[in-house]
Every structure is written in structure tokens, then in C-alpha cells.
């Protein structure tokens, strides 16, 4: 039987991430594993062809304060589901590369990742963090698709147009 000791669940505070966190908390509870809830953020700014203008220190402090409060709520939710050892991490950077770096640096055994279920066109235009993480992760990755009704409708519409 596989033994998971350290589980990472990247969260962007979406419904898809919450579903992944619920599954990750269940697995952590069953295996007595540490659960790392990792939120990757980027400094707010506006890009122009000539330069990028970043928000000031006050805006960044507000972002970090709100992130900390949200992470605390998610940690409490994971603990209420039976995960005893839950740690939260807020990391600045590019989401997929920071997730991979975190997994490597912390020698994690499993990565549980929510997917947004975007259509092929949206994925082509925006890229997919989940797809990049799956491709580069040094450990097994469990992807969790959202169960929302409108995602099923989007997929159905995409299938009909192909």
C-alpha cells in the first residue's frame, strides 16, 4: 500500500480548489500525513508595452492580509475534516513553477490539484496551471475536476461543436 506522508494542495480559493482540498484532507486524515495548503500570488500590477507598473506597498499589504485570513479559514476547514497537521503557505511567483519548487523543496509525496475544467479554446488562450504541474511534478499528481453543473454544460457544448 502506498503511504503518503506529505501532501500538497495548491489553492486559488476557487470551488475547484476547495473540492481538491476536501479530497486532500481526507487522504491526509487516512494516512496521518501533513497537508500543505499552498497559495501562489502575483503582485498586482498593470503591464504596458513599455513597462509594468506595480501596486504600492499598501495594496500589497492588503492583499497579504486578505490572503492570510482566507488561508486560516481553509486551514480550519481542512482540520475540521480530520487532517491533523495542516500548514498554510503564501508564496509570491508564477503559480505552476512555484508549486513545483515547493513540492521539490519539501520532498512531498502527493500533489492534489483542482482543475477548472476549461474548454480547449480557453486552455489554449490562457494556458493551464494544472497541465504544466502534471507535466513537471516530481511526484504523483491527483487532479480533481469540479462537479459544478455549468462545467458539464460547457464540456457538452464543446463536444457538440467538434
Amino acid at each position: 500500500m502506498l503511504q503518503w506522508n506529505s501532501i500538497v494542495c495548491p489553492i486559488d480559493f476557487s470551488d475547484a480548489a476547495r473540492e481538491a482540498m476536501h479530497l486532500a484532507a481526507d487522504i491526509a486524515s487516512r494516512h496521518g500525513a501533513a497537508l500543505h495548503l499552498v497559495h501562489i500570488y502575483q503582485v498586482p500590477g498593470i503591464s504596458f508595452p513599455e513597462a509594468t507598473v506595480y501596486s504600492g506597498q499598501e495594496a500589497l499589504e492588503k492583499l497579504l492580509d486578505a490572503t492570510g485570513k482566507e488561508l486560516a479559514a481553509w486551514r480550519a476547514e481542512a482540520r475540521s475534516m480530520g487532517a491533523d497537521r495542516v500548514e498554510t503557505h503564501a508564496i509570491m511567483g508564477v503559480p505552476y513553477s512555484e508549486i513545483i519548487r515547493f513540492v521539490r523543496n519539501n520532498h512531498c509525496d502527493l500533489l492534489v490539484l483542482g482543475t477548472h475544467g476549461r474548454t480547449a479554446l480557453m486552455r489554449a488562450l490562457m494556458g493551464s496551471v494544472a497541465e504544466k504541474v502534471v507535466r513537471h511534478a516530481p511526484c504523483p499528481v491527483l487532479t480533481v475536476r469540479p462537479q459544478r453543473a455549468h462545467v458539464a454544460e460547457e464540456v457538452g457544448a464543446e463536444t457538440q461543436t467538434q
Side-chain angles (χ1 to χ4, degrees):
M1 181 173 131
L2 291 172
Q3 179 60 40
W4 311 114
N5 296 311
S6 182
I7 300 170
V8 174
C9 183
I11 55 175
D12 60 3
F13 308 128
S14 67
D15 291 338
R18 177 163 268 116
E19 288 185 41
M21 191 262 305
H22 286 184
L23 183 57
D26 182 54
I27 295 169
S29 174
R30 292 172 191 251
H31 290 262
L35 175 58
H36 299 274
L37 302 178
V38 178
H39 177 71
I40 311 300
Y41 65 93
Q42 294 179 302
V43 176
I46 300 172
S47 291
F48 299 98
E50 301 82 27
T52 300
V53 178
Y54 292 103
S55 300
Q57 184 66 28
E58 184 178 330
L60 183 57
E61 287 172 6
K62 284 182 181 179
L63 171 68
L64 292 176
D65 183 54
T67 298
K69 288 176 182 172
E70 195 69 27
L71 283 171
W74 282 59
R75 179 179 187 267
E77 186 174 340
R79 289 184 58 98
S80 75
M81 299 181 71
D84 292 328
R85 297 184 293 147
V86 182
E87 296 180 26
T88 60
H89 310 270
I91 302 168
M92 183 176 67
V94 177
Y96 89 91
S97 62
E98 293 303 327
I99 292 166
I100 297 301
R101 183 185 335 270
F102 184 91
V103 169
R104 283 196 176 118
N105 290 346
N106 292 280
H107 309 287
C108 298
D109 304 311
L110 177 65
L111 203 155
V112 181
L113 180 67
T115 64
H116 290 280
R118 291 191 175 102
T119 63
L121 177 59
M122 288 301 292
R123 190 171 50 252
L125 293 173
M126 299 176 60
S128 168
V129 171
E131 185 177 331
K132 291 173 186 170
V133 167
V134 168
R135 221 177 311 129
H136 298 284
C139 67
V141 179
L142 176 59
T143 59
V144 180
R145 293 182 54 115
Q147 298 300 311
R148 300 170 300 184
H150 71 275
V151 172
E153 292 169 4
E154 289 174 9
V155 172
E158 179 183 7
T159 304
Q160 291 175 0
T161 60
Q162 292 180 355

